[in-house]
C-alpha cells in the first residue's frame, strides 16, 4: 500500500512539473514563434532538455549511479529549476502586462492610420486643376482623373456608351474615391486589419518572451556567481550576562548550511575554510547542514575542513540534511577532520559553556533534541552558548536559561520570493533578535541547497564578538 501511495505522489509531482513546463513553453515559445521555425525548435528543445535534467536530478540519487554523473545531472537540473522559477514569475507578470501592451500598441497604430487617411484625402481633394472628363475617365476610375483631361465624344462612345451620365469633375471624383481607396471596406481591407492585429499580438508576445528569458537567465547567473565566489563576512557584537571581563572580545565564527554535495564540492569548501581562517576566530561553530550525501561520496569534498583553525576548537551540531545523508556515519567521521560533534552535549570553556542539541529531523531515527542532557547540571554562574540548527528551538532554549542560541537552516529564504514563506515558518529569518533573556542569532548560511543560487539572500559567515553585558 505504501509503495502504491508513493508512486501516486511521484506521478502527481511529475504531472505538476510537466504542466509548468508546458505553460512556460506555450507563453514563451509557441506564442512568440512561427510553427517550424528555428526559434520554435530551439525554444522547445531548451525547455524539454531542461525538464529532463530536472526530473533526472532526484532519479540519479541511487547507489548504482556514479557520483560524478550525479554531480553533472544535478548541477544542470538544479540550475534549470532556478531558471524555471523566474521564467514562471516572468510569465505570470506578463499575463498582467500583455493586454495593456496590446491595447497601447493598437491605440498607437490606430492613431497613426487615421492621420495617414486624413492627410491623403486632403491632398487628393485639392487636385491639380479642373478636369472635364467623359466616358473613359469615369469608367477608368479615380487614378486617371487627375490634372486637366479632355476626351472627344467618339472616344467616350467607344470606351463607354453610357459615359455621359457618369461624367463628373475631377475634384469631386477624387474627393469621393480616395478615402475608399486608402481605408477600404472590402475583404482585402478586413484581412489587412486582421493581419495588423495579429502582428501586434506577436510583437508583444516576442517582447515579453525575450524580456522574461533575459531577466531569468541574468538573475540566476548573478545568483550563482554570488554563491560560488564565497560568503561575505558579517560582524556582530553580542553582550552576554555573567561573561567575565577577561573574555571580552572573544570571537566565535559561525558558519552553517554549506550543503557540500552534488552542486558544491571541494573547491567551494576550500573557499569557505580560507574565509573562516582569515577571521582569526577563537572558536568555530558549525550550525548544521554541512553535507548532502554519504561519507563515501563526499570524503574528498569535505577534506578541506580539516584545515579549520581555532585555538578553542571547532564544534558542530546536527542539521536536518545530515539525517537525510546518513547521520551515524557523519557523527563518526567528522572527528577525523578535527570537528567535535555536540550531540545533545556541551563543552565547558573557562568563561562560558558551549552546547549543542540534535535536530528536529532526528525524530525519524527515534531521537530528539535533548536539552536536559545537553544542559543539565551545568554551572549556571557562567553564560551558555547553544548550537541548534533550527531557529524554532529558541523557545526551549529560553526555558532552559540559554544566553545565546546560534542557528542556521533558513538560508534567509535563498531564492526570492521564498524569503516571505521562510519568514512565516521561522521565528527569525536572519540576524540577531532577543526572546526574553535569550538572544538568537540566525545566519543565512555559506552555501545553498538545491540550485547553487541565491537571490535576495546573500550567503554569509558571521564573526560574533562576545562582550560583558553591564
Amino acid at each position: 500500500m505504501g509503495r502504491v501511495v508513493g508512486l501516486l505522489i511521484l506521478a502527481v509531482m511529475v504531472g505538476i512539473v510537466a504542466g509548468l513546463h508546458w505553460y512556460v513553453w506555450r507563453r514563451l515559445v509557441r506564442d512568440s514563434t512561427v510553427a517550424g521555425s528555428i526559434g520554435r525548435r530551439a525554444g522547445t528543445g531548451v525547455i524539454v532538455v531542461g525538464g529532463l535534467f530536472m526530473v533526472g536530478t532526484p532519479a540519479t540519487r541511487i547507489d548504482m549511479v556514479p557520483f560524478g554523473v550525479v554531480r553533472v545531472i544535478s548541477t544542470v537540473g538544479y540550475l534549470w529549476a532556478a531558471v524555471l522559477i523566474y521564467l514562471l514569475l516572468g510569465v505570470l507578470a506578463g499575463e498582467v502586462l500583455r493586454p495593456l501592451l496590446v491595447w497601447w500598441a493598437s491605440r498607437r497604430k490606430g492613431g497613426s492610420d487615421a492621420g495617414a487617411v486624413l492627410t491623403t484625402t486632403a491632398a487628393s481633394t485639392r487636385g491639380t486643376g479642373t478636369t472635364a472628363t467623359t466616358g473613359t475617365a469615369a469608367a477608368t476610375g479615380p487614378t486617371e482623373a487627375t490634372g486637366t483631361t479632355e476626351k472627344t465624344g467618339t472616344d467616350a462612345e467607344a470606351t463607354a456608351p453610357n459615359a455621359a451620365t457618369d461624367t463628373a469633375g475631377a475634384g469631386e471624383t477624387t474627393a469621393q474615391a480616395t478615402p475608399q481607396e486608402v481605408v477600404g471596406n472590402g475583404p482585402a481591407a478586413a484581412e489587412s486589419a486582421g493581419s495588423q492585429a495579429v502582428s501586434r499580438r506577436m510583437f508583444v508576445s516576442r517582447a515579453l518572451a525575450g524580456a522574461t528569458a533575459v531577466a531569468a537567465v541574468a538573475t540566476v547567473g548573478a545568483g550563482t556567481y554570488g554563491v560560488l565566489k564565497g560568503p561575505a563576512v558579517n560582524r556582530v557584537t553580542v553582550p552576554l550576562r555573567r561573561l567575565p571581563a577577561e573574555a571580552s572580545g572573544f570571537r566565535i565564527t559561525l558558519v552553517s548550511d554549506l550543503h557540500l554535495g552534488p552542486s558544491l564540492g571541494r573547491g567551494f569548501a576550500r573557499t569557505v575554510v580560507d574565509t573562516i581562517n582569515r577571521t582569526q576566530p577563537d572558536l568555530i561553530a558549525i550550525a548544521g547542514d554541512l553535507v548532502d550525501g554519504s561519507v563515501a561520496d563526499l570524503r574528498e569534498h569535505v577534506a578541506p575542513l580539516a584545515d579549520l583553525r581555532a585555538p578553542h576548537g571547532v564544534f558542530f551540531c546536527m542539521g536536518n540534511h545530515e539525517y537525510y545523508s546518513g547521520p551515524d556515519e557523519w557523527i563518526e567521521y567528522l572527528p577525523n577532520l578535527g570537528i567535535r560533534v555536540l550531540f545533545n552535549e556541551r563543552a565547558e570553556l573557562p568563561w562560558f559553556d558551549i552546547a549543542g542539541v540534535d535536530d528536529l529531523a532526528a525524530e525519524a531515527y527515534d531521537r530528539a533534541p535533548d536539552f536536559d542532557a545537553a544542559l543539565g547540571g551545568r554551572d549556571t554562574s557562567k553564560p551558555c552558548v547553544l548550537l541548534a540548527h533550527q531557529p524554532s528551538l529558541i523557545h526551549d532554549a529560553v526555558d532552559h536559561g540559554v544566553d545565546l542560541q546560534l542557528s542556521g537552516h533558513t538560508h534567509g529564504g535563498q531564492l526570492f520570493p521564498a524569503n516571505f514563506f521562510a519568514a512565516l515558518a521561522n521565528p527569525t529569518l536572519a540576524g540577531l533578535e532577543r526572546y526574553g533573556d535569550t538572544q538568537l542569532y540566525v545566519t543565512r548560511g555559506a552555501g545553498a541547497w538545491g540550485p547553487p543560487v541565491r537571490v535576495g539572500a546573500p550567503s554569509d559567515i558571521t564573526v560574533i564578538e562576545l562582550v560583558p553585558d553591564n
Side-chain angles (χ1 to χ4, degrees):
M1 183 64 181
R3 186 172 182 178
V4 173
V5 173
L7 290 175
L8 287 175
I9 293 174
L10 178 62
V12 170
M13 292 177 64
V14 171
I16 292 173
V17 170
L20 293 176
H21 280 78
W22 176 84
Y23 176 55
V24 168
W25 172 83
R26 178 188 174 193
R27 278 310 194 194
L28 300 186
V29 179
R30 193 197 71 172
D31 289 355
S32 64
T33 59
V34 178
S37 65
I38 295 177
R40 173 74 62 90
R41 293 172 182 173
T44 301
V46 169
I47 290 178
V48 170
V49 171
L52 291 175
F53 271 95
M54 184 174 168
V55 173
T57 296
T60 58
R61 299 302 294 271
I62 54 178
D63 294 337
M64 66 181 65
V65 180
F67 189 65
V69 175
V70 173
R71 294 201 70 193
V72 172
I73 294 177
S74 296
T75 299
V76 176
Y78 282 137
L79 287 173
W80 172 251
V83 171
L84 181 65
I85 289 172
Y86 292 103
L87 289 177
L88 283 168
L89 291 176
V91 168
L92 291 174
E95 300 291 9
V96 177
L97 295 175
R98 188 184 309 276
L100 298 177
L101 292 175
V102 171
W103 173 83
W104 176 80
S106 63
R107 181 180 177 87
R108 184 178 181 186
K109 181 67 175 176
S112 176
D113 289 347
V117 170
L118 292 175
T119 301
T120 306
T121 302
S124 300
T125 303
R126 286 194 299 269
T128 57
T130 302
T131 304
T133 307
T134 58
T136 302
T140 303
T143 56
E144 295 179 8
T146 57
T148 302
T149 305
E150 294 183 359
K151 294 291 181 179
T152 65
T154 303
D155 292 339
E157 292 174 0
T159 307
N162 299 322
T165 60
D166 298 329
T167 304
E172 178 182 352
T173 302
T174 306
Q176 292 174 356
T178 302
Q180 294 178 359
E181 178 186 3
V182 176
V183 180
N185 57 6
E191 181 179 353
S192 175
S195 176
Q196 290 175 0
V198 171
S199 178
R200 286 193 294 270
R201 288 196 295 270
M202 178 66 78
F203 171 77
V204 170
S205 293
R206 287 179 175 175
L208 289 174
T212 297
V214 170
V217 172
T219 298
V220 172
T224 303
Y225 172 76
V227 171
L228 297 182
K229 73 181 179 63
V233 177
N234 294 338
R235 298 179 183 273
V236 60
T237 299
V238 178
L240 288 186
R241 298 174 301 157
R242 304 185 304 278
L243 185 73
E246 58 267 27
S248 181
F250 190 98
R251 292 187 303 278
I252 300 175
T253 295
L254 171 66
V255 63
S256 180
D257 299 278
L258 274 75
H259 289 282
L260 300 176
S263 299
L264 299 173
R266 183 185 180 96
F268 180 74
R270 171 53 59 190
T271 298
V272 173
V273 167
D274 291 344
T275 302
I276 291 173
N277 286 340
R278 282 195 296 269
T279 66
Q280 298 181 328
D282 296 306
L283 181 149
I284 297 172
I286 305 174
D289 278 9
L290 181 62
V291 294
D292 273 311
S294 65
V295 172
D297 287 338
L298 297 179
R299 193 186 312 272
E300 172 189 352
H301 299 286
V302 300
L305 298 175
D307 296 330
L308 289 170
R309 295 289 181 266
H312 294 282
V314 181
F315 297 91
F316 172 80
C317 73
M318 300 288 284
N320 53 310
H321 281 257
E322 276 72 47
Y323 278 94
Y324 306 153
S325 304
D328 293 331
E329 63 179 13
W330 283 109
I331 292 172
E332 181 180 350
Y333 183 74
L334 287 177
N336 297 327
L337 302 175
I339 299 173
R340 178 174 174 180
V341 180
L342 294 175
F343 189 70
N344 291 328
E345 58 184 299
R346 70 178 180 274
E348 297 180 354
L349 302 181
W351 313 282
F352 61 90
D353 294 338
I354 182 163
V357 292
D358 210 349
D359 188 71
L360 292 170
E363 294 176 356
Y365 287 77
D366 294 326
R367 304 170 183 172
D370 191 338
F371 283 81
D372 291 332
L375 303 175
R378 74 177 195 88
D379 182 359
T380 56
S381 66
K382 296 193 301 184
C384 177
V385 177
L386 174 72
L387 293 183
H389 177 63
Q390 300 195 35
S392 58
L393 291 173
I394 182 61
H395 303 294
D396 293 296
V398 172
D399 293 340
H400 287 82
V402 170
D403 294 276
L404 173 64
Q405 176 177 317
L406 303 178
S407 298
H409 183 64
T410 70
H411 295 212
Q414 185 169 329
L415 294 172
F416 174 87
N419 53 308
F420 296 109
F421 303 104
L424 294 174
N426 294 277
T428 297
L429 184 65
L432 182 67
E433 290 188 353
R434 178 179 289 276
Y435 293 82
D437 292 332
T438 303
Q439 297 177 84
L440 168 65
Y441 186 85
V442 180
T443 173
R444 288 189 293 263
W449 177 76
V453 182
R454 284 176 173 264
V455 178
S459 58
D460 67 62
I461 64 172
T462 302
V463 178
I464 297 172
E465 183 174 344
L466 303 180
V467 296
D469 185 358
N470 296 324

